[in-house]
Amino acid sequence: MSDVLLVVVDAANVVGSVPDGWWRDRRGAAERLRDRLAVDGVPGREGAVEIVLVVEGAARGVESVPGVRVESAPASGDDHMVALVAEAGERRVLVVTADRELRRRVGELGADVAGPRTVRP
């Protein structure tokens, strides 16, 4: 089991948590979130983290940067995040989302969950 915490971020949910006009440029909003994560990481978390930003829809194709791996969900972003948690096995996982159903699904697989303010002020 890896000591590095896997942090899976629901890009659409986190971006959508602040009404700052993100809907006019979904890809740009996802890129700004990615860049903030690359600089700030996950505030309040001690130790090493691996950050995976899951994008879907109009944000597909956002590139990874050092410190943040971006994965474009081939279909449902929620299903992709659940698959990432399932693949993690015994590894510690934190999923960042406010989506109640997603929180339930990943929680059943043993992941911890946190809201968007964990990574976005």
Side-chain angles (χ1 to χ4, degrees), residues 14-55:
V14 172
V15 164
S17 69
V18 177
D20 60 2
W22 60 264
W23 52 88
R24 290 188 294 270
D25 181 11
R26 293 170 193 261
R27 183 184 178 105
E31 289 171 339
R32 287 188 296 279
L33 174 59
R34 175 205 60 197
D35 294 346
R36 186 178 314 111
L37 289 168
V39 171
D40 297 339
V42 183
R45 293 286 166 170
E46 297 299 321
V49 297
E50 176 186 356
I51 300 173
V52 179
L53 180 66
V54 176
V55 297

XYZ file of all heavy atoms in Angstrom, residues 14-55:
323
model
N -16.255 20.897 -8.560
C -15.485 21.933 -7.856
C -15.587 23.261 -8.597
O -15.839 24.302 -7.983
C -14.021 21.496 -7.669
C -13.175 22.639 -7.119
C -13.947 20.281 -6.740
N -15.426 23.242 -9.918
C -15.531 24.466 -10.711
C -16.934 25.056 -10.565
O -17.102 26.266 -10.421
C -15.193 24.178 -12.191
C -15.659 25.298 -13.103
C -13.697 23.943 -12.353
N -17.944 24.193 -10.575
C -19.325 24.649 -10.494
C -19.745 25.149 -9.127
O -20.850 25.677 -8.969
N -18.871 25.017 -8.143
C -19.228 25.419 -6.782
C -19.158 26.927 -6.570
O -19.617 27.427 -5.545
C -18.338 24.703 -5.761
O -17.000 25.183 -5.838
N -18.575 27.647 -7.526
C -18.444 29.098 -7.410
C -19.002 29.736 -8.687
O -18.493 29.455 -9.783
C -16.967 29.511 -7.216
C -16.835 31.029 -7.172
C -16.398 28.897 -5.955
N -20.027 30.572 -8.570
C -20.635 31.172 -9.758
C -19.807 32.338 -10.301
O -20.168 33.507 -10.164
C -22.003 31.635 -9.253
C -21.772 31.943 -7.815
C -20.737 30.944 -7.350
N -18.677 31.996 -10.946
C -17.761 33.037 -11.426
C -17.734 33.128 -12.955
O -16.786 33.661 -13.525
C -16.353 32.792 -10.880
C -15.786 31.455 -11.320
O -16.456 30.714 -12.074
O -14.654 31.138 -10.908
N -18.758 32.591 -13.601
C -18.814 32.624 -15.055
C -18.164 31.429 -15.719
O -17.991 31.406 -16.938
N -17.833 30.389 -14.957
C -17.160 29.200 -15.478
C -17.910 28.585 -16.660
O -17.293 27.990 -17.546
C -16.965 28.152 -14.378
C -18.242 27.681 -13.758
C -18.807 28.159 -12.610
C -19.141 26.689 -14.241
N -19.996 27.523 -12.360
C -20.233 26.609 -13.347
C -19.134 25.850 -15.354
C -21.293 25.735 -13.529
C -20.198 24.974 -15.535
C -21.261 24.922 -14.623
N -19.218 28.725 -16.705
C -20.036 28.088 -17.743
C -19.771 28.666 -19.128
O -20.075 28.040 -20.130
C -21.521 28.185 -17.398
C -21.951 29.588 -17.080
C -22.390 30.535 -17.949
C -21.943 30.192 -15.784
N -22.661 31.703 -17.285
C -22.393 31.524 -15.946
C -21.605 29.750 -14.496
C -22.516 32.411 -14.880
C -21.731 30.640 -13.459
C -22.179 31.944 -13.639
N -19.155 29.845 -19.191
C -18.818 30.437 -20.485
C -17.547 29.826 -21.078
O -17.326 29.925 -22.285
C -18.657 31.951 -20.347
C -19.973 32.656 -20.080
C -19.827 34.166 -20.134
N -19.005 34.716 -19.076
C -19.465 35.110 -17.877
N -20.743 35.006 -17.596
N -18.645 35.607 -16.980
N -16.727 29.221 -20.231
C -15.468 28.619 -20.686
C -15.118 27.462 -19.751
O -14.267 27.587 -18.878
C -14.353 29.672 -20.695
C -13.015 29.128 -21.184
O -12.971 27.995 -21.726
O -11.998 29.831 -21.005
N -15.775 26.353 -19.952
C -15.584 25.191 -19.067
C -14.155 24.667 -19.110
O -13.594 24.307 -18.083
C -16.574 24.083 -19.432
C -18.003 24.479 -19.142
C -18.998 23.490 -19.723
N -20.335 24.037 -19.704
C -21.254 23.766 -18.796
N -20.976 22.929 -17.817
N -22.439 24.303 -18.861
N -13.576 24.632 -20.286
C -12.198 24.149 -20.402
C -11.244 25.088 -19.664
O -10.374 24.648 -18.915
C -11.815 24.028 -21.873
C -10.433 23.467 -22.070
C -10.054 23.459 -23.555
N -8.718 22.957 -23.706
C -8.421 21.759 -24.157
N -9.374 20.924 -24.513
N -7.171 21.382 -24.258
N -11.398 26.401 -19.870
C -10.547 27.373 -19.184
C -10.697 27.291 -17.675
O -9.708 27.403 -16.937
N -11.927 27.074 -17.207
C -12.155 26.951 -15.763
C -11.442 25.720 -15.217
O -10.831 25.764 -14.144
C -13.653 26.882 -15.475
N -11.484 24.605 -15.958
C -10.788 23.381 -15.530
C -9.275 23.606 -15.528
O -8.570 23.125 -14.634
C -11.167 22.213 -16.426
N -8.773 24.349 -16.515
C -7.333 24.634 -16.553
C -6.914 25.517 -15.380
O -5.853 25.301 -14.788
C -6.966 25.296 -17.887
C -7.041 24.324 -19.047
C -6.896 24.971 -20.409
O -7.135 26.200 -20.529
O -6.550 24.242 -21.354
N -7.749 26.479 -15.022
C -7.417 27.336 -13.866
C -7.403 26.507 -12.576
O -6.525 26.696 -11.725
C -8.399 28.502 -13.765
C -8.175 29.562 -14.839
C -9.019 30.802 -14.627
N -10.454 30.560 -14.723
C -11.137 30.481 -15.866
N -10.516 30.600 -17.028
N -12.449 30.290 -15.843
N -8.361 25.597 -12.430
C -8.376 24.715 -11.259
C -7.124 23.846 -11.247
O -6.461 23.710 -10.216
C -9.641 23.862 -11.242
C -9.714 22.806 -10.152
C -9.616 23.417 -8.753
C -10.994 21.987 -10.297
N -6.793 23.271 -12.389
C -5.580 22.435 -12.491
C -4.348 23.217 -12.056
O -3.538 22.735 -11.266
C -5.425 21.971 -13.939
C -4.141 21.199 -14.206
C -3.725 21.276 -15.648
N -3.493 22.652 -16.077
C -3.449 23.020 -17.355
N -3.632 22.152 -18.319
N -3.219 24.294 -17.662
N -4.241 24.455 -12.557
C -3.063 25.262 -12.244
C -3.018 25.629 -10.759
O -1.939 25.653 -10.157
C -3.045 26.511 -13.114
C -2.857 26.178 -14.602
O -2.490 25.025 -14.925
O -3.109 27.076 -15.429
N -4.167 25.898 -10.162
C -4.211 26.194 -8.725
C -3.782 24.969 -7.923
O -3.027 25.076 -6.957
C -5.621 26.631 -8.313
C -5.685 27.078 -6.859
C -7.042 27.579 -6.397
N -7.668 28.497 -7.324
C -8.764 28.205 -8.039
N -9.329 27.033 -7.940
N -9.282 29.094 -8.854
N -4.276 23.789 -8.338
C -3.888 22.554 -7.648
C -2.381 22.306 -7.776
O -1.742 21.846 -6.827
C -4.657 21.364 -8.214
C -6.143 21.310 -7.880
C -6.834 20.268 -8.744
C -6.360 21.022 -6.405
N -1.816 22.605 -8.933
C -0.379 22.389 -9.151
C 0.454 23.267 -8.229
O 1.523 22.857 -7.770
C -0.028 22.658 -10.614
N -0.038 24.467 -7.941
C 0.699 25.399 -7.075
C 0.404 25.139 -5.602
O 1.312 25.041 -4.773
C 0.353 26.863 -7.442
C 0.933 27.826 -6.422
C 0.847 27.193 -8.836
N -0.879 25.015 -5.256
C -1.297 24.938 -3.852
C -1.430 23.526 -3.313
O -1.466 23.331 -2.095
C -2.647 25.641 -3.652
C -2.575 27.126 -3.960
O -1.462 27.691 -3.930
O -3.631 27.725 -4.235
N -1.557 22.534 -4.183
C -1.785 21.170 -3.723
C -3.117 21.075 -2.998
O -4.100 21.674 -3.407
N -3.129 20.339 -1.910
C -4.334 20.179 -1.092
C -4.032 20.791 0.272
O -3.400 20.153 1.111
C -4.732 18.698 -0.962
C -6.021 18.552 -0.169
C -4.882 18.057 -2.343
N -4.455 22.042 0.481
C -4.149 22.711 1.748
C -4.595 21.893 2.956
O -5.651 21.261 2.946
C -4.957 24.015 1.645
C -5.092 24.249 0.177
C -5.227 22.874 -0.424
N -3.738 21.878 3.966
C -4.063 21.178 5.198
C -3.719 19.702 5.205
O -3.880 19.035 6.226
N -3.243 19.173 4.102
C -2.865 17.757 4.038
C -1.365 17.639 4.193
O -0.602 18.231 3.442
C -3.290 17.128 2.707
C -4.776 17.039 2.532
C -5.342 15.953 3.405
N -6.788 16.099 3.482
C -7.583 15.212 4.009
N -7.082 14.113 4.536
N -8.868 15.410 4.068
N -0.955 16.870 5.168
C 0.465 16.638 5.404
C 0.921 15.452 4.571
O 0.160 14.535 4.314
C 0.709 16.347 6.884
C 0.359 17.494 7.807
C 1.176 18.742 7.542
O 2.382 18.622 7.262
O 0.604 19.838 7.605
N 2.158 15.467 4.172
C 2.719 14.345 3.432
C 2.457 14.456 1.934
O 1.835 15.389 1.445
N 2.974 13.471 1.234
C 2.889 13.460 -0.223
C 1.476 13.141 -0.695
O 0.767 12.339 -0.083
C 3.866 12.435 -0.779
N 1.088 13.798 -1.774
C -0.201 13.515 -2.403
C 0.000 13.359 -3.902
O 0.896 13.956 -4.487
C -1.255 14.620 -2.137
C -1.578 14.737 -0.674
C -0.822 15.951 -2.703
N -0.825 12.541 -4.499
C -0.915 12.417 -5.952
C -2.287 12.952 -6.322
O -3.306 12.431 -5.851
C -0.786 10.958 -6.392
C -0.981 10.777 -7.885
C -1.012 9.312 -8.320
O -0.813 8.419 -7.473
O -1.248 9.073 -9.518
N -2.323 14.000 -7.138
C -3.591 14.635 -7.486
C -4.009 14.215 -8.889
O -3.228 14.337 -9.837
C -3.483 16.170 -7.413
C -3.103 16.606 -5.989
C -4.790 16.826 -7.855
C -2.802 18.082 -5.850
N -5.252 13.722 -8.989
C -5.846 13.384 -10.278
C -7.090 14.240 -10.435
O -8.014 14.174 -9.622
C -6.214 11.888 -10.369
C -6.863 11.588 -11.716
C -4.986 11.019 -10.155
N -7.106 15.061 -11.477
C -8.240 15.923 -11.788
C -9.031 15.253 -12.901
O -8.501 15.031 -13.991
C -7.735 17.300 -12.235
C -8.784 18.348 -12.594
C -9.593 18.745 -11.357
C -8.115 19.566 -13.207
N -10.277 14.907 -12.616
C -11.111 14.234 -13.605
C -12.002 15.266 -14.285
O -12.767 15.968 -13.626
C -11.954 13.115 -12.961
C -12.889 12.476 -13.992
C -11.038 12.050 -12.346
N -11.866 15.351 -15.612
C -12.649 16.283 -16.411
C -13.580 15.504 -17.332
O -13.333 14.344 -17.656
C -11.748 17.239 -17.228
C -10.915 18.121 -16.304
C -10.846 16.481 -18.188
